[in-house]
Amino acid sequence: GEVVKPFTPEKTKEIVMSLQQPAVFCNMVGDWPALHWNAKYLSAVLDGKTIQFRLGLKRVDLVPQFETRCSYVKATLEEFLAWSCGQPSCLSGPFSSYDYSKYWAYADYKYIARIFEDKPEIFQDIRWSDFGFPGRSGKESTLWIGSEGANTPCHLDSYGCNLVLQVQGRKRWHLFPPGDTSFLYPTRVPYEESSVFSKVNIANPDLKRFPEFRNSTAHVVTLSPGQVLLVPRHWWHYVESIDPVTVSINSWIELDADHEARVEEAITRMLVCAIKSAENPSDGDLWLNPTEVEATSHEINLQYLNQAVSAYLQCQETSVSEQARPSSTGAEQRTNSSCKRKRRGVGGEPEGCTLLTQESDFPKAEELQKIPFGPHLIQVLPQSHETSMMAAVESDSRDLFRENEEHFGKLHRERKRLVMRNDCETAAHQMDSDCSPCTSQTALSTNDVLDCLVNPRVISLVARLLLERTKM
């Protein structure tokens, strides 16, 4: 018979779009063919196709191990599995220079649409329609395959909320609310578009250099196969694989509030590329993540900035007109993007755009009462509250609230990869084709950007930040 899920697609989408704290969905994907996507199965499907792995050291350091500090190899999943099992055949393979006891490997941020482009039928194994997003499948999803210790450094994503399905093995997530941003010492160097990194190594924090980190509040959850984690907008997260092999699938759900963030990202990219590219390239400053490929030209960055502003204005105009209609629904969100990164081919504009303005760390008490928490939807609570919640969780979900203190200082972190298309150099791939800039409204010049940057309020803030830096 038909599988009965604890929540309808409509109810699930309502939860995803309204809940402003992390939560885990249980018993929602039992009939998904993607649950069979363990590394051995994927190895057979890829049939010898090589993918790029990022390798990092397992030893703990006070400094975050960003992508710029990692090694990279191209290998098959068969070679990866042999290496992770310590088979002698690895002595001559692509992993031969990396001792499994000292290194971890991560094939992260792999767009399913790209690595399975010759097998499009496999996209339907992932059914985000059960979460209220009809038409969204593996084509709009990303694959992550790692060994024990593989991790992403603490960061927040500039856009959207995130749905993460755990397929094989377990991953431990350390999440921090948006209100903890100042405690996490955010930075944009190394630069990766739409990712704001923390200077703090969450696995081994340097409290002398970053004393405010003591004021942060970690929400820790261990995600097991068959569970789906909701990471709300702008929640910081550090993720580590705690089993020999892990496989995850995620999809970023774009929100209308992302339009303003796109403008901020465009300004950031313009400044970072202009300033850092002016430096001597031989100074050894690894400021650009390897997956960004190169610093885009000023002309292209300016084009993108104009298009981002144009899209923001269009969405605001649509929002005003929609709010004037009695039948408009304020909960409609933008959900048809093919990937999280807004420069990498954004989907069409929604029929009804309503900008989200609420940016609170937690929902209000009356709002929480409306959320159907229970065995099928589990809150990810602050660490101090984990133990008291264990009795309320079904046996197959109890590891969600396991004590993590012995693991918290175990591993140093690593950045997730952004796979760039070589053809994403032009403005046509940076924004929607129907969002061409309106010259009369958004023909911004370099002087316009500089005028904003040298505003006294901005200069004052930059000066304070520079002075704070000298104290570190």
Side-chain angles (χ1 to χ4, degrees), residues 3 5 28-42 45 112 116 119-131 136-138 143 165-168 225-226 228 247-249:
V3 177
K5 314 238 169 167
M28 284 291 294
V29 298
D31 58 343
W32 286 23
L35 285 185
H36 302 293
W37 283 28
N38 56 41
K40 186 175 181 180
Y41 170 81
L42 293 172
V45 174
I112 292 173
F116 296 116
K119 299 178 176 65
E121 66 279 0
I122 204 172
F123 300 158
Q124 303 311 313
D125 287 2
I126 302 166
R127 305 168 179 173
W128 296 115
S129 56
D130 286 345
F131 285 76
R136 184 176 288 257
S137 65
L143 183 66
L165 165 66
Q166 193 63 27
V167 176
Q168 179 180 2
V228 176
V247 176
S248 306
I249 298 169

Side-chain angles (χ1 to χ4, degrees), residues 27 54 63 114 127 130 173 231 246 259 261 319 331 360 362 367 404 410 437 440:
N27 307 311
R54 175 166 53 91
V63 180
R114 202 166 300 162
R127 305 168 179 173
D130 286 345
W173 289 69
V231 182
T246 62
H259 284 288
S319 176
S360 59
F362 302 100
E367 294 173 346
N404 296 288
K410 181 181 177 183
S440 62

Side-chain angles (χ1 to χ4, degrees), residues 111-158:
Y111 283 109
I112 292 173
R114 202 166 300 162
I115 61 176
F116 296 116
E117 58 186 354
D118 57 338
K119 299 178 176 65
E121 66 279 0
I122 204 172
F123 300 158
Q124 303 311 313
D125 287 2
I126 302 166
R127 305 168 179 173
W128 296 115
S129 56
D130 286 345
F131 285 76
F133 306 104
R136 184 176 288 257
S137 65
K139 190 175 182 181
E140 296 82 24
S141 305
T142 309
L143 183 66
W144 311 71
I145 305 171
S147 65
E148 183 178 0
N151 58 84
T152 61
C154 188
H155 67 282
L156 68 79
D157 302 317
S158 301

Side-chain angles (χ1 to χ4, degrees), residues 68-82:
T68 51
R69 303 175 61 208
C70 287
S71 301
Y72 296 87
V73 300
K74 285 191 174 181
T76 65
L77 275 181
E78 184 178 7
E79 291 169 327
F80 164 75
L81 288 171

Side-chain angles (χ1 to χ4, degrees), residues 136 140 254-256 259 262 311 314-315 318 333-339 342 344-353 428-436:
R136 184 176 288 257
E140 296 82 24
E254 287 204 344
L255 307 173
D256 291 329
H259 284 288
R262 286 194 177 90
Q314 288 182 10
C315 194
T318 306
Q333 307 295 330
R334 186 166 190 256
T335 61
N336 58 348
S337 170
S338 61
C339 65
K342 78 304 152 223
R344 316 300 181 210
V346 181
E349 288 300 310
E351 294 181 0
C353 263
H429 290 277
Q430 295 167 352
M431 291 300 294
D432 303 341
S433 59
D434 60 344
C435 289
S436 57

Side-chain angles (χ1 to χ4, degrees), residues 289-331:
N289 258 11
T291 46
E292 286 291 334
V293 180
E294 65 182 16
T296 320
S297 72
H298 181 77
E299 181 181 0
I300 289 177
N301 288 336
L302 185 59
Q303 278 184 312
Y304 173 64
L305 175 59
N306 278 279
Q307 291 174 330
V309 172
S310 177
Y312 172 80
L313 294 175
Q314 288 182 10
C315 194
Q316 274 199 321
E317 292 172 0
T318 306
S319 176
V320 171
S321 62
E322 287 294 320
Q323 290 175 3
R325 300 177 188 174
S327 60
S328 76
T329 58

